């Protein structure tokens, strides 16, 4: 218990005092686990009480969570100038049910972005969402902003981006939200965005790579690459590389890559099983819009998995997400056939927003932040 006194906290109840050789630790997302140094094992349950616990509340004033070069979380007390690997909130844990609810149990096809973040306070967090002026990107940006985050809408069309900013401010006038220019079809624009973002000297806790093109006729970007491939994958790949140092310095941080189940219906290998680069940016004669989209989504997933492998030890996680089968949005607007298909499927797909009758009235009167529960991680 000396470590708790070192953290400036009192001892815990005797019932929870650990047997010899046991140590209490925490995960990055606030769950408590126990390590036995003699048997060299770990477990979620307290060795005496059998209870599972999680951290309650924010870090004490003056404390900050950081990650060392080995990916180990440690805590810095800036007031008293000291460092410890023991979470100073361990004296204030709460019991948790032995079985944590699964995502399938908690959320379903009618769940909205606002409901997923309900009860979380993202004050002080910085979030960048690409393609955030409409569709999934807009709902994501709005939800983060109404939960206290500083949100940057990274968009190609600044007129529509500024309109989206105004819509969010209409929900809550104190929302911290702004628009910045980002054209994924132009690598120079990606570079300029990264430079402009870094000039702000702020952290980056969440980067949502959402922008995408679908059913485009064949064309080359100014960089000489097929447009669907560059917009959906390469532009985001370049963006993450340019902001990687900021993400690592902001750990715990997260990259979310919006992919699709359609990645299953293609491949990027030749007949011998080797990567065929010509399939990534095909010529006009070898181009099919749907295959180009599917291949770009496969690249999204491969990139996300490798990014997580490389950066998770430094406190940056990466997840690829499928937003939903045939989710209705404006992504189909480039070809009338897909517009017709999406229109016919619309009654059976998930809407971007809840029905009007289900929209909370307090949405336009106050922010959706609930102070009783806080999210330390991203």
């Amino acid at each position: 218990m000396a470590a708790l006194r070192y953290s400036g906290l009192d001892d815990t109840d005797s019932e929870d005092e650990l047997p010899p050789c046991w140590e209490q630790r925490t995960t990055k997302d606030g769950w408590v686990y126990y390590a036995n140094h003699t048997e060299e094992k770990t477990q979620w349950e307290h060795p005496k009480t059998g209870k599972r616990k999680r951290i309650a509340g924010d870090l004490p004033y003056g404390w900050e969570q950081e990650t060392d070069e080995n990916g180990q979380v440690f805590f810095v007390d800036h007031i008293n100038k000291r460092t410890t690997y023991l979470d100073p909130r361990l004296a204030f844990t709460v019991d948790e049910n032995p079985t944590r609810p699964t995502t399938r149990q908690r959320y379903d096809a009618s769940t909205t972005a606002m409901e997923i973040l309900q009860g979380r306070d993202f004050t002080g967090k910085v979030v960048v969402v690409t393609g955030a002026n409409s569709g999934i990107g807009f709902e994501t940006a709005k939800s983060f902003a109404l939960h206290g985050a500083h949100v940057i809408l990274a968009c190609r069309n600044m007129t529509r981006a500024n309109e989206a900013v105004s819509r969010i401010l209409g929900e809550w006038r104190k929302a911290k939200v702004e628009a910045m220019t980002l054209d994924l079809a132009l690598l120079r624009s990606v570079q300029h965005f990264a430079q402009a973002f870094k000039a702000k000297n702020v952290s980056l806790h969440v980067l949502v790579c959402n922008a995408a093109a679908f059913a485009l006729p064949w064309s080359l970007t100014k960089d000489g690459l097929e447009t669907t491939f560059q917009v959906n994958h390469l532009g985001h790949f370049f963006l993450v590389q340019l902001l990687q140092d900021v993400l690592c310095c902001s750990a715990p941080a997260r990259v979310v890559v919006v992919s699709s189940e359609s990645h299953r219906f293609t491949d990027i290998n030749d007949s011998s099983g080797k990567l065929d680069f010509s399939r990534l940016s095909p010529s006009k004669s070898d181009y099919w819009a749907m295959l180009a989209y599917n291949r770009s989504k496969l690249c999204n997933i491969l990139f996300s998995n490798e990014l997580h492998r490389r950066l998770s030890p430094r406190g940056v996680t990466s997840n690829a997400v499928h937003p939903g089968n045939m989710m209705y949005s404006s992504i189909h607007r480039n070809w009338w056939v897909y517009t017709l298909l999406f229109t016919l499927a619309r009654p059976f797909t998930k809407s971007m927003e809840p029905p009007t009758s289900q929209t909370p009235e307090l949405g336009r009167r106050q922010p959706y932040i609930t102070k009783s529960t806080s999210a330390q991680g991203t």
Side-chain angles (χ1 to χ4, degrees):
M1 295 299 113
L4 288 176
R5 289 193 292 272
Y6 174 74
S7 300
L9 303 173
D10 295 328
D11 197 355
T12 57
D13 295 336
S14 58
E15 179 190 21
D16 291 331
E17 186 172 348
L18 291 170
C21 303
W22 284 89
E23 180 185 354
Q24 192 172 213
R25 299 176 181 174
T26 56
T27 64
K28 293 178 182 178
D29 54 356
W31 289 91
V32 178
Y33 68 99
Y34 305 90
N36 186 313
H37 297 292
T38 301
E39 301 179 13
E40 296 184 350
K41 69 175 185 178
T42 60
Q43 62 187 51
W44 293 110
E45 296 79 12
H46 189 285
K48 287 178 61 178
T49 66
K51 297 178 180 178
R52 290 191 179 191
K53 295 189 175 185
R54 60 178 175 83
I55 295 298
D58 299 327
L59 286 167
Y61 177 75
W63 284 84
E64 182 179 6
Q65 178 177 299
E66 297 185 9
T67 307
D68 64 19
E69 58 184 10
N70 297 318
Q72 182 72 32
V73 175
F74 67 95
F75 303 87
V76 180
D77 180 0
H78 293 288
I79 296 178
N80 298 306
K81 309 297 182 184
R82 55 187 178 179
T83 300
T84 177
Y85 281 88
L86 188 69
D87 193 322
R89 297 167 295 175
L90 278 173
F92 305 103
T93 57
V94 295
D95 292 341
E96 193 63 35
N97 292 331
T99 303
R100 295 171 61 182
T102 65
T103 301
R104 186 176 298 275
Q105 291 173 321
R106 294 175 60 187
Y107 309 124
D108 56 29
S110 63
T111 304
T112 65
M114 294 301 301
E115 292 170 341
I116 289 176
L117 294 187
Q118 177 63 37
R120 293 180 176 267
D121 182 4
F122 282 86
T123 301
K125 304 295 184 182
V126 180
V127 179
V128 171
V129 183
T130 67
N133 55 273
S134 64
I136 300 170
F138 174 75
E139 294 302 320
T140 301
K142 181 180 74 171
S143 185
F144 273 119
L146 296 184
H147 285 83
H150 175 188
V151 182
I152 296 174
L153 282 66
C155 306
R156 176 178 58 86
N157 188 320
M158 288 305 294
T159 299
R160 297 181 63 186
N162 288 323
E163 290 174 354
V165 169
S166 298
R167 289 169 60 190
I168 295 174
L169 292 175
E171 294 276 350
W172 184 32
R173 62 181 179 83
K174 293 185 179 180
K176 295 181 179 179
V177 57
E178 62 178 303
M180 291 180 63
T181 303
L182 173 64
D183 185 355
L184 294 166
L186 187 61
L187 296 181
R188 182 183 301 173
S189 175
V190 178
Q191 192 170 31
H192 288 170
F193 173 87
Q195 292 172 346
F197 178 84
K198 289 181 177 181
K200 293 178 176 292
N201 292 317
V202 297
S203 299
L204 178 55
H205 301 99
V206 182
L207 172 58
V208 182
C209 300
N210 162 77
F214 178 76
L216 293 179
W218 182 88
S219 64
L220 296 179
T221 66
K222 292 183 179 180
D223 299 301
L225 296 163
E226 191 276 314
T227 304
T228 300
F229 172 66
Q230 180 165 333
V231 171
N232 293 6
H233 171 66
L234 193 61
H236 282 131
F237 177 92
F238 189 37
L239 177 64
V240 173
Q241 300 309 302
L242 294 175
L243 297 179
Q244 178 176 309
D245 55 339
V246 183
L247 285 163
C248 291
C249 290
S250 307
R254 177 171 297 175
V255 176
V256 178
V257 182
V258 180
S259 184
S260 171
E261 280 286 347
S262 63
H263 80 277
R264 301 181 185 277
F265 307 107
T266 188
D267 63 81
I268 53 177
N269 295 329
D270 58 21
S271 58
S272 65
K274 295 183 179 179
L275 179 63
D276 185 355
F277 287 99
S278 66
R279 296 190 179 191
L280 301 181
S281 184
S283 63
K284 187 174 182 178
S285 59
D286 296 326
Y287 180 78
W288 183 26
M290 195 66 212
L291 270 181
Y293 178 80
N294 293 356
R295 285 167 179 162
S296 70
K297 297 290 103 178
L298 176 57
C299 289
N300 286 164
I301 292 177
L302 296 175
F303 166 58
S304 178
N305 289 348
E306 179 62 16
L307 183 69
H308 182 81
R309 187 187 71 81
R310 295 189 183 193
L311 295 189
S312 57
R314 302 175 64 182
V316 180
T317 59
S318 179
N319 302 91
V321 59
H322 168 53
N325 291 319
M326 295 293 288
M327 177 177 284
Y328 190 86
S329 70
S330 61
I331 195 173
H332 56 80
R333 62 185 177 273
N334 296 295
W335 192 22
W336 70 268
V337 173
Y338 285 110
T339 299
L340 177 61
L341 177 62
F342 273 68
T343 301
L344 294 174
R346 186 170 189 176
F348 309 101
T349 62
K350 184 175 180 180
S351 172
M352 288 295 157
E353 298 179 354
T356 304
S357 60
Q358 297 180 12
T359 303
E361 285 298 322
L362 51 78
R364 297 187 180 275
R365 300 177 185 174
Q366 65 185 51
Y368 286 78
I369 300 172
T370 303
K371 292 294 184 179
S372 60
T373 307
S374 177
Q376 279 298 306
T378 50

